[in-house]
Amino acid sequence: MLAERYPYYLANRPKQPNAELAVTDKYSGEVVTHVALADAGAVEEAIAAAVRATGPMRRLAPYARQEVLEHCARRFRERAEEFALALCIEAGKPLRDARGEVTRLIDTFKAAAEEAVRNEGEVLNLEVSPRAAGYRGFTQRVPVGPCSFITPFNFPLNLVAHKVAPAIAAGCPFVLKPSDRTPVSAMLMAEVLAETALPEGAFSVLPTRLADVGPFIEDERLKLLSFTGSEKVGWELKARAGRKKVVLELGGNAACVVDHDQGERLDFVADRVAHGAFYQAGQSCISVQRVLVHESLYGALRERLVARARALRSGNPRDETTTLGPMIDEPAARRLQGWIERAVARGARVLAGGGRRGALLEATVLEGVPADEPLSAEEAFGPVVLLEPFRAFDEAVRAVNDGRYGLQAGLFTNELSKAMRAWDELEVGGVIVGDVPSFRVDTMPYGGVKGSGLGREGVKYAIEDMTEPRLLVLRQG
Ligand code: NAD
């Protein structure tokens, strides 16, 4: 169960000046706890403390950073069930999805603990011409300094971890603003961070009103802004971020291609597509939204997918048998239902689902959705999947690329040449062959192109952003 109230964390310490942020159970809609809200003064204090912690964090020995990360991973393991329940309540995530996220949280910290003691430096041969005879170069990576992190509601633990764990491994102090809809998970993580020997000021976790969030984006003392969230907000923040580095992990309308040679394993394909489309009510940036199916298999896959959508058990996420929970709130579900109705008015057909009870939207399968409808062209971010037949593989490639997003794409094919072509031609951050675009492990480079973002996460890749190479040149003789 959740505590009655949670503090925020300012310069490693819990503070409870108020309890103004109400957090609801996303299934019942009831207020279940309150979290302290940081005001402009607290944000300033946190940034100043992070600046003071820059030297101590840089000097913290790699083994000491590793110990901090290992401690966290150990404590997360011990508290796994409690964390999963918090996710289940504040994000409306079915317990099995919530437990999966806690497992990934632990993976992310374990990966960061390993990276913390790796030396990514280079030895450079500088003797490119006679004038450089006797010179050699070396690089080491040094932390960029204080970082600013802003995170979304849909993975309130693991997407916080994807910023926090690499920052500790890299030696960067940070200030973090979690989503105001799901702040509790980040507070539980901060509780564990506060048990460690991180230098004072190394971390602040501050739920903040939008009116007070400006310094997270604009303050020049912060050297990197890493934002995960919606496309519109992300690009707006980049325009305000001044000289700092910016990493944007934004939305998508991920597509999955099913080629003609998948007949033998169509049940597996249908299982994976249904999982990719409907897990955590489709509220994942790489949720399967568009499925392009070779015309020879279209009817057979449609039948299987409809059956799987209807078989999902929707309801209370705390119930162990629930496989489809609510969307984050009723307006989000209403928005998506409106998009479905718009598409139907233009000739789309609902094959399964379409109904809604409060924030619970049924798992919905449609076909015949025009490509310029929001349901196809925008990010649905809910339990909805669109089917579309194709004839020639090139047509499918064009359809995947048609649009302004490019996070990941999935491709089911047995032909290596098509896999390679997709890898070369698809305008996305990652191509997943043999599975849905929703596949992610926490060590792989992850991120998008086009409207879907800028830069990559995945522990090692985030550390690259949080450090910069510093050159040493040695002249001999
Ligand atoms: P959101 O953009 O509404 O909010 C994200 C964060 O930004 C929250 O903390 C929010 O409070 C804050 N925020 C909102 N407006 C702001 C402003 N004007 N200034 C400063 N901060 C502001 O996104 P959301 O609804 O919480 O999350 C869903 C979105 O996140 C989807 O678009 C999803 O695709 C995307 N997402 C992307 C990834 C990825 O890794 N690419 C992962 C998960 C979610």
Side-chain angles (χ1 to χ4, degrees), residues 150-155 159 177-181 208 210 213-214 216-217 227-234 236-237 240 248-252 283-286 328 379 381 405 407 440 446-448 452 457:
I150 300 179
T151 53
F153 75 80
N154 63 328
F155 287 94
L159 291 182
K177 190 201 91 60
S179 167
D180 50 334
R181 293 187 275 191
T208 311
L210 281 190
V213 86
F216 278 81
I217 300 130
F227 172 87
T228 303
S230 59
E231 184 197 12
K232 184 168 171 294
V233 175
E236 261 174 40
L237 299 195
R240 292 166 44 198
L248 300 176
E249 297 289 346
L250 310 177
Q283 298 171 117
S284 158
C285 44
I286 37 173
I328 192 67
E379 176 178 48
F381 219 58
Y405 293 115
L407 207 44
R440 179 178 184 189
Y446 177 77
S452 293
E457 288 196 328

Side-chain angles (χ1 to χ4, degrees), residues 250-257 273 276-277 279 282 284-292 374-382 384-388 396 399-411 426-432 435-439 446-448 452:
L250 310 177
N253 60 351
C256 187
V257 177
V273 170
Y279 80 108
S284 158
C285 44
I286 37 173
S287 163
V288 179
Q289 185 167 333
R290 301 174 293 149
V291 187
L292 303 149
L375 197 56
S376 175
E378 304 290 327
E379 176 178 48
F381 219 58
V384 173
V385 66
L386 320 181
L387 299 181
E388 200 180 313
V400 174
N401 284 343
D402 182 20
R404 60 174 204 279
Y405 293 115
L407 207 44
Q408 293 199 144
L411 169 60
L426 293 179
E427 296 156 4
V428 290
V431 176
I432 314 293
D435 207 344
V436 285
S438 329
F439 176 81
Y446 177 77
S452 293

Side-chain angles (χ1 to χ4, degrees), residues 261-270 411-414 434-435:
D261 54 13
Q262 298 300 296
E264 304 241 310
R265 54 176 199 155
L266 218 49
D267 282 319
F268 169 74
V269 173
L411 169 60
F412 289 94
T413 185
N414 295 335
D435 207 344

Side-chain angles (χ1 to χ4, degrees), residues 62 65-66 69 108-120 165-166 169-170 443 458-461 463-464:
R65 296 178 198 169
Q66 184 176 55
L69 292 158
T108 303
F109 270 78
K110 273 167 52 187
E114 285 169 20
E115 292 297 335
V117 292
R118 242 167 231 155
N119 178 359
E120 295 284 341
T443 47
V459 178
K460 172 179 157 197
Y461 307 93
I463 291 173
E464 268 170 30

Side-chain angles (χ1 to χ4, degrees), residues 126-135 475:
L126 297 180
E127 294 181 303
V128 295
S129 71
R131 79 179 181 85
Y135 288 83
R475 180 172 166 266

